[in-house]
Amino acid sequence: MKVLLAGGAGYIGTHTAVEMAAAGNEVVIADNFSNSKPEAVRRVEALVGEKIPCYYLDVADKKLLTEIFEKEKIDVVVHFAGLKAVAESTKIPVEYYRNNIDTTLSLLEVMQEQGCRRLIFSSSATVYGEPKKLPLVEDMPPGVCASPYGWTKWMNEQILRDACCANPELSVVLLRYFNPIGAHESGTIGEDPQGIPNNLFPYIAQVAVGKRPCLSIFGNDYPTKDGTCVRDYIHVVDLAKGHVKASAYAMEHEGLATFNLGTGVGYSVLEMVKAFERVNELKLSYQFAPRRPGDVSECYADAKKAKEILGWEAEKTLEDMCRDTYRWQSKNPQGYPEG
Ligand code: NAD
Ligand code: UFG
């Protein structure tokens, strides 16, 4: 199977490229490097021991996209290409809607023109909105999103649902990620946020290597086990393997299917801090700070559907997530080099 990873130079895309290649698939990457660096693709090539065709383009550009489809015989598209910073999306919402929706529309149109029928979409647990009941199950109705970023995921899901209704030959898998963290165990690829990290684990990792002085824990008065927010953290390599299973599923099935990719277990922010300290034998400096707008108190998946239908479940432990994050950050304190 030949797989086009749109946005494949990013955090989840690079890990997926490695797992796709390890499973015997051909990988092609398309990225505009708006939130990634070419070095990430070179590191993937070093890990898989082969050259990966990598195209530098805006995935919304139909002309350039068409050239890729004409050159490569693509069986499945995995669509990671999106802007993802929740807070930034409240400041520049139009850019978020433009980028995150145009990429999907262009992909769908070019796929239709070129006879490619299978798409895996990077969705998010954010589409559930404020959970009314936990764990979150795929057939719960989508909720009210807390940010423009979240709405782009919600709208993309709806666009893809409508496209499948209109074209019964189309096969779309919506993957709702929970909280991906960790890195490849080699420590050569990992998450490389630009500027101040928005997310918990990249922030913890930068405090651990001395790049930032202190972690702020947003809120300690939530109605949770210790007052801090609870999330379903999933190792990025497990998540990447979920894409391999979803692609194989899309080869065999038509229509739309939705899967949570999570572990089914929720950990609080404080539990994550303590686990990181224990596993890596270090101390993290942290302080409590006011709640962050838009955060839900608790969010974790019902992960049964992916297990039953895709034959996928998360295998890595919390210890793996902590150790691999620290290994990546220690080996690459400044992230990937430019160029
Ligand atoms: P990332 O920013 O590391 O990767 C996204 C990649 O897409 C980047 O390499 C970026 O340069 C590229 N890109 C963005 N717009 C593009 C465009 N118009 N044309 C070509 N390339 C473009 O993010 P990630 O963490 O790997 O996330 C991948 C996908 O998963 C995103 O759609 C994100 O919204 C979604 N997601 C991520 C998380 C998370 O916590 N990381 C959670 C839920 C969903
Ligand atoms: N947190 C801190 N300090 C920080 C960063 C985060 O205390 O410096 C806390 C947050 O308040 C939250 C928890 O750590 O309680 C997790 O926050 P993240 O930003 O790491 O993750 P989110 O759960 O907010 O968001 C993630 C993805 C989104 C996705 C969302 C869906 O980043 O893309 O999950 O649940 F939409």
Side-chain angles (χ1 to χ4, degrees):
M1 160 172 88
K2 195 182 251 193
V3 187
L4 173 64
L5 305 181
Y11 173 46
I12 302 169
T14 45
H15 290 84
T16 302
V18 171
E19 298 308 321
M20 282 284 182
N25 302 299
E26 285 181 80
V27 175
V28 176
I29 289 177
D31 205 298
N32 65 358
F33 300 107
S34 58
N35 197 38
S36 53
K37 303 214 180 89
E39 173 67 11
V41 179
R42 290 195 284 273
R43 302 241 183 133
V44 171
E45 290 177 332
L47 281 172
V48 303
E50 60 192 51
K51 192 108 192 77
I52 293 178
C54 179
Y55 296 89
Y56 173 23
L57 79 159
D58 184 330
V59 168
D61 185 329
K62 282 183 64 184
K63 188 168 168 288
L64 295 178
L65 208 49
T66 302
E67 284 173 20
I68 298 180
F69 276 83
E70 282 172 348
K71 190 153 174 237
E72 313 277 355
K73 180 94 194 68
I74 304 294
D75 297 301
V76 182
V77 175
V78 187
H79 178 14
F80 299 106
L83 301 173
K84 64 160 185 176
V86 174
E88 184 185 61
S89 79
T90 63
K91 299 194 178 81
I92 48 168
V94 179
E95 274 182 49
Y96 270 68
Y97 287 112
R98 169 67 77 191
N99 189 70
N100 291 5
I101 292 174
D102 265 7
T103 45
T104 305
L105 295 175
S106 293
L107 276 169
L108 278 175
E109 286 177 348
V110 173
M111 285 171 64
Q112 168 114 18
E113 286 157 16
Q114 299 291 322
C116 178
R117 309 187 281 107
R118 305 172 191 97
L119 178 84
I120 315 300
F121 179 68
S122 296
S123 191
S124 164
T126 196
V127 300
Y128 290 109
E130 176 82 46
K132 291 185 185 65
K133 216 172 146 230
L134 287 164
L136 293 161
V137 186
E138 289 86 346
D139 59 10
M140 286 175 172
V144 174
C145 296
S147 69
Y149 164 76
W151 284 115
T152 69
K153 293 296 173 196
W154 195 100
M155 288 175 192
N156 269 311
E157 286 203 359
Q158 189 58 40
I159 290 166
L160 292 165
R161 211 169 279 124
D162 289 341
C164 283
C165 282
N167 179 0
E169 288 191 349
L170 204 57
S171 174
V172 172
V173 180
L174 305 176
L175 296 178
R176 293 179 177 159
Y177 310 155
F178 281 67
N179 288 58
I181 59 169
H184 188 267
E185 63 177 9
S186 64
T188 61
I189 58 171
E191 188 166 13
D192 180 19
Q194 309 303 302
I196 302 170
N198 301 301
N199 300 117
L200 179 66
F201 247 51
Y203 207 107
I204 285 181
Q206 293 196 5
V207 173
V209 299
K211 202 175 164 190
R212 311 233 164 242
C214 179
L215 169 75
S216 291
I217 296 181
F218 302 135
N220 61 346
D221 58 351
Y222 284 99
T224 58
K225 43 190 150 186
D226 58 23
T228 64
C229 291
V230 169
R231 295 288 182 274
D232 184 337
Y233 295 93
I234 175 167
H235 197 295
V236 68
V237 170
D238 278 334
L239 193 78
K241 289 179 178 165
H243 294 73
V244 179
K245 295 283 191 183
S247 300
Y249 176 88
M251 294 295 285
E252 305 283 324
H253 299 82
E254 272 95 48
L256 184 115
T258 307
F259 298 100
N260 287 336
L261 293 186
T263 63
V265 180
Y267 289 106
S268 75
V269 175
L270 264 180
E271 285 175 327
M272 296 305 284
V273 167
K274 296 292 163 205
F276 195 95
E277 289 184 329
R278 177 171 46 78
V279 171
N280 295 311
E281 296 175 353
L282 49 78
K283 277 278 165 217
L284 290 169
S285 166
Y286 67 86
Q287 64 189 12
F288 292 111
R291 289 183 178 197
R292 186 173 69 174
D295 277 343
V296 301
S297 61
E298 218 162 335
C299 171
Y300 53 90
D302 180 321
K304 287 200 278 297
K305 187 177 172 192
K307 184 175 181 190
E308 277 163 22
I309 297 179
L310 298 180
W312 171 90
E313 66 181 321
E315 288 167 353
K316 294 199 178 263
T317 63
L318 181 57
E319 285 68 28
D320 296 327
M321 301 185 215
C322 294
R323 198 185 43 245
D324 293 340
T325 299
Y326 187 51
R327 186 183 296 116
W328 152 254
Q329 193 69 51
S330 309
K331 283 182 143 189
N332 306 271
Q334 307 304 328
Y336 295 113
E338 294 290 345

